[in-house]
Each structure stands twice: as C-alpha cells, then as structure tokens.
Amino acid sequence: MPKIESSFLDISRLDALASQRTLIHGLDPRAKIVTTLIFIFIVVSFPKHEVTALVPFTLYPVVLIALANLPPGYLFQKVLLAAPFAFFVGIFNPLLDSEVLIHLGPVGISGGWVSFASIMLRFGLTVGAALVLVATTGMNGIGAGLEKLGAPNSFAVQLTFLYRYLFVLTDEAARMVRARSLRSFGIKGTEVKVFGYMIGHLLLRTMDRAQRIHQAMLCRGFTGELRLPVPLKFSWRDMGFLAGWSSLFILMRLVNIPQWMGLLVTEVLG
Amino acid sequence: MSHHIVEVKDLHYTYPDGTAALGGVGFRITHGESVALIGANGAGKSTLLLHLNGCLIPEAGTVRMGDFPLTKKTLPHVRQTVGMVFQDPDDQLFMPTVYDDVAFGPLNLGLPPDEIEDRVMEALATVGAAHLRNRPPYRLSGGEKRAVAIASVLSMGPSILIMDEPSSNLDPKARRQLIHLLKSFEHTMIIATHDLDMVLDVCGRTMILKGGHIAADGPTEEILQNEPLLHACSLEKPLRLQGCPVCNPVRA
C-alpha cells in the first residue's frame, strides 16, 4: 500500500519543518495556539456574504510562512487536500441563493456565489493557519502547550502518544497489507472477511503493544503524569506576539480595511 | 554492596490462561556479576525478567532486588534500582524526541532540571548517541534505537541492568558495538538472549532455563561446552566453539 506509506512520510516532512529554529519556532507554543484560535474564531465570525473584509486576514499566514521559513507551495498543497470538504459544503449555496447581490458591469453575481467564495476563503484561512501552527510548533509542542493551557493531562498525553505511535501502527498495517497482497495473487481489493480479520488482528497487536509500552513506562517511574523536560516560559516576546496579532485581528474585524482604503482613494481622487 | 544483589527464591508463576511459566526458580546474583539467561523459546526467560522489576508479582516465592524484597510498596525503589531494556526498542522509546525519552525516568524521579540535563547527556554519551538528542525515535536505525533504549535506563542510575534480547535485529557492526558497550558496564547485569556468542564475550556466568526450571547454572565456559546439556535444552554450542565447517564438515 504505497499510498498510505507515502502520505505518512509526508507527515514527517511537517515534523522536519517544525524542528527548524526561527523567531516563530522559538515562540512559546501557548502564544501560537491562542493566537491561532483567536484568528480562527474571528475569521469564522464574519457574516456569510463577507468576502472583502476577509482578505486582509491572509496577512497572518503569509507573514508567518515568510518568517518561519516554510515552503508555501507545500502548505498550499496540504490545504488543497482538505479542500473538497469545504467545496461540497459550499457548492449548493449558488443553487439555493440565486438573488443577485453584486453587479460587475453586465454580469450579476448571486448571493450564493458570494457566500461560496466566502466559505472557500474562510476555509483556506483557517486550515492554513492551523497548518502553519503545526509546522512551526510540532504536534508535541502543541500537546505540551495545550496541557499548560489547562487541557486535561490525559488529553495531552493521548495526543502526544497518538502522534508517536501513528508511525509504528502504519508500519504494522503496511506490513500486513503487503503480506496479504503477496499471497492473494492479483485479486484486486480486499474481501470484507479478510479485511475484518486484519483489522481485528491489528487491534490485538495494538493492545499488546500498549501493554508493553505501559510496562516500559512503569519501569521508569511513570505515575500517570507526563512531565516535560523544559518548563515552558511565557516571555514578553510571546506576549507581544499574542497581543499584537490579536489586536490586529480585532481591528480587521471591526473595520473593513479594503473598503476603507477604497473610500480613501476615491475621496482623494474626488 | 548489598544493593547490587538479585535473589530469587522458589519463584512460581502461572499465566491467567493456565500456562505454567515458572515452576520454582531460584538463584542469587551478586554485585557486578554479568549473567546470561538462556533457554529455548517459551522456557520462561521473559516471564522471569518481568518478575525482576515488578511488572509481574510472584504467585509464590520471593524476589529480592538490592536492599528490597519486591512487594507493591517497594516497587518505586526497586524500579529505580533496576534498569530494564525491553526487546523491542519501539516499546521503550515512547517520547517525541530522544532527549525527552532519556529524560523521562529522571523527570519521574523528580530531579532538578540541571541534574536531568547532566544525566541525559552523560547517558547519551556513554552509548555514543549524544548527536541524536533532538531526533524523533521512530526515525532512528535499529542500532541507534537500541543504544538510545539503553541510555534511557542508564539515565536513572540503576545498579542492576536487565536486558531482553539486546543483540536481536542488529547488524554485525552494531552488535559488536553493543558488546563493547556491555563489557564496559560495571553494573550487575542479567541478559536474556539466544546470541550465545555474545554470551561468551559478555557474561561470566550462565543460567539455562528449561520448562520453567533452572536446568543449569555455572561458569559460561563450562556450560557452553557441555554439548549434551545444551542439546537437551534445545540449544547449540556457540558458533565460535564449533569446528570450522570447511576443514571439518559436521553432519547435520
């Protein structure tokens, strides 16, 4: 199953990106998590026909991508991967809402198309911001940050372990799939029955492994709380990052900057 | 130096499904001894090892590790005394980076941050893996994983090391490095393995387990030369002690 394997190799690329050392990577995970949450919350809070006021929000991912030395093409590709979901959420809007909202010369654009564009834009912004968060912080940083922010310890531990063993589990699954295909002589697809056995087997193996891991943890003094080697420090830089971006987001929420600039230009010309 | 002693008396264990794994095992290992635990598959090696650090509680008999008899109450002390290296490093390296993993034990001991840093770097340097500190464990090679797994127990400063098949799945060079590493340790060591050539290099004393009993216990050189005994326990002489296959072909 080369497809599964290669898509997981891709995750490790995200990991490699997260282990860089830049100004943004050095920020406290909590600052980045909260900023991203505020960003997503504000982007989602706009009324459904809003498009222009959303445009300035692209500033946040773009600035972070530039400062954190991330490959924009790669991230864009990842956003596209999730795009079909948003596409199908929004694609019926033009059919349901056909009242013309904007006139561009002879062409009238219906409210449905405007809200569709708005949905796609919001989708791009929020998913992009989340990806930037992962690529600058790493899943483990996010887990640690969430815990310090007050998320239950077990939740953070789950997230960290899920990420760590994703690779082991896919390896195991890939080996099973390969072993099956080597003995099924070109029969395409997997019969439901065999598939059931394989899933069941994988579950049993996973439970065995979980038990061994737990033993290994107990052997090294695990008491139920995952401790971090370096206590996170929330410095004035993190505070600045959080406060600066948040106030900018709020400003962009309250003032439609493109419209305002447009008015300014027409006034000056007039 | 009583805290390096391992003493097991009349240990019995039956798995919940009714499989009798250990039927009266007893031995005493003293300070600084390096002991090989060998035997066929299913002879009870792994079960015995799981008793030595309290992953399993004896059904009958006693286990004494260092200064403490092994009971539920002494478990934290015992686990600090005993460093257990599991067979599959993927089970042991569960933290996001090598550094975090090696720091896991010391953090649970509640040590101050400076001390943790020192211990982690010292343990990594001992196994020659200091350059791997920021790597995620799942992207290491088999030999590197094994080295880090050993570092992750060394960082707790154990006086007794227990290893389950440490040389399995290693290429010859990585295996040789592991042997050098093990020989450099001054800990009391118990190594369960099928790699009898490694036993010749590392362990002065050998115990053979057979069907949940100790079938033999003595100096490695004597035991590994005793062909009838080895044969009876589903074992073979180490390759190095067998004749040259070219000049002296042995019938299969």
Side-chain angles (χ1 to χ4, degrees), chain A residues 12 15 21 140 160 164-165 167-168 209 212-213 215-222 226-229, chain B residues 50 53 55 79 86 88 90-96 99-101 104-105 107-108 134 138-139 152 156:
Chain A
S12 43
D15 247 8
R21 281 165 200 275
N140 307 311
T160 312
R164 163 69 181 88
Y165 282 98
F167 297 89
V168 178
R209 186 180 289 281
R212 292 199 302 271
I213 294 164
Q215 279 179 349
M217 294 176 76
L218 288 178
C219 285
R220 291 198 271 151
F222 183 65
L226 201 65
R227 296 184 173 93
L228 283 165
Chain B
L50 288 177
N53 57 3
C55 283
R79 284 182 171 155
F86 283 69
D88 182 352
D90 264 327
D91 293 341
Q92 185 146 14
L93 306 177
F94 42 76
M95 293 294 279
Y99 183 93
D100 292 346
D101 216 291
F104 182 83
L107 274 167
N108 284 327
N134 290 321
Y138 51 83
R139 299 178 80 186
S152 72
M156 297 192 297

Side-chain angles (χ1 to χ4, degrees), chain A residues 239-260:
Chain A
M239 199 57 226
F241 180 83
L242 176 59
W245 280 110
S246 309
S247 34
L248 185 63
F249 297 155
I250 292 169
L251 178 75
M252 292 196 292
R253 175 70 181 87
L254 297 176
V255 184
N256 187 338
I257 291 173
Q259 201 177 40
W260 178 74

